[in-house]
Amino acid sequence: MDKPALKPLPREPYVYAEWKKCRAGLDYHVDIERHYCSVPHQLLRQELWACITARIVEIYHKGQRVAAHQRISGNCKHSTIRDHMPANHRYQTDWTPERIRTQAARIGPNVETFVEMVMRKRRHPEQGYRTCMGVLRLAKTFGAARLDAARDHTSRHPSHHRCATP
């Protein structure tokens, strides 16, 4: 009796997905479970949605898919699609690796060393902007002297790092 009303099964099996609202930072990457996936640089600071499955991360802007990356969780590294990068690797004309180094030097020598190492360890220095800017912002909260002293302490005690940063 029900057989005539049955529809065929879908061709593709069901894939569980989670959705996450996110923003592209100055480095045009979004944070997906401590892994950073690139989006077109024009979308920096824009509100985006990430569709996260067991194997893939798709990023959407206003309902349009703008990026897809293989899912890699929690390694604090970047997945960057070359076409997402601006031609000159700058996200804003006022933020350059040199300006970030200068800001870090004003805070203290330990923070300056940290910023240098972060940008040197990345394939492109701009991929370290998110980390560097986060550290520079801490100076406003805790003060330059305290931040520089803390950076000196963590460099002598690497087990205190959440991720494998220098």
Side-chain angles (χ1 to χ4, degrees):
M1 174 191 232
D2 291 336
K3 190 173 184 178
L6 292 178
K7 295 180 181 177
L9 291 173
R11 288 184 181 192
E12 300 292 323
Y14 175 78
V15 176
Y16 175 77
E18 291 183 19
W19 288 84
K20 176 185 175 185
K21 189 189 240 184
C22 50
R23 285 193 187 278
L26 283 175
D27 63 353
Y28 61 83
H29 287 74
V30 294
D31 180 354
I32 305 295
E33 298 174 357
R34 312 263 330 129
H35 184 82
Y36 304 98
C37 300
S38 68
V39 297
H41 69 92
Q42 298 89 341
L43 298 177
L44 82 107
R45 294 189 173 159
Q46 296 290 312
E47 184 177 282
L48 305 166
W49 282 92
C51 178
I52 306 162
T53 69
R55 294 190 174 149
I56 199 158
V57 174
E58 295 177 306
I59 313 292
Y60 292 85
H61 179 252
K62 296 182 179 178
Q64 296 289 101
R65 188 173 92 163
V66 294
H69 296 270
Q70 181 179 2
R71 182 172 179 195
I72 303 170
S73 296
N75 66 359
C76 298
K77 298 205 187 243
H78 291 75
S79 293
T80 305
I81 296 173
R82 189 162 198 72
D83 289 343
H84 290 167
M85 296 177 156
N88 62 0
H89 291 277
R90 289 188 181 168
Y91 312 107
Q92 292 183 341
T93 55
D94 58 340
W95 284 109
T96 64
E98 190 52 45
R99 179 166 180 210
I100 291 173
R101 285 184 196 103
T102 302
Q103 295 273 51
R106 287 184 192 143
I107 294 169
N110 296 314
V111 174
E112 180 181 18
T113 300
F114 174 76
V115 164
E116 287 279 342
M117 288 173 30
V118 165
M119 288 194 277
R120 193 175 335 120
K121 285 193 171 231
R122 300 305 199 284
R123 183 178 216 176
H124 305 284
E126 293 80 5
Q127 291 175 335
Y129 278 15
R130 180 186 302 262
T131 301
C132 295
M133 296 301 291
V135 169
L136 296 178
R137 271 192 301 275
L138 290 173
K140 292 178 183 173
T141 305
F142 298 104
R146 188 172 173 197
L147 178 60
D148 198 54
R151 184 57 220 152
D152 182 46
H153 175 77
T154 58
S155 66
R156 287 184 276 129
H157 303 282
S159 63
H160 293 234
H161 296 286
R162 278 191 353 188
C163 292
T165 52

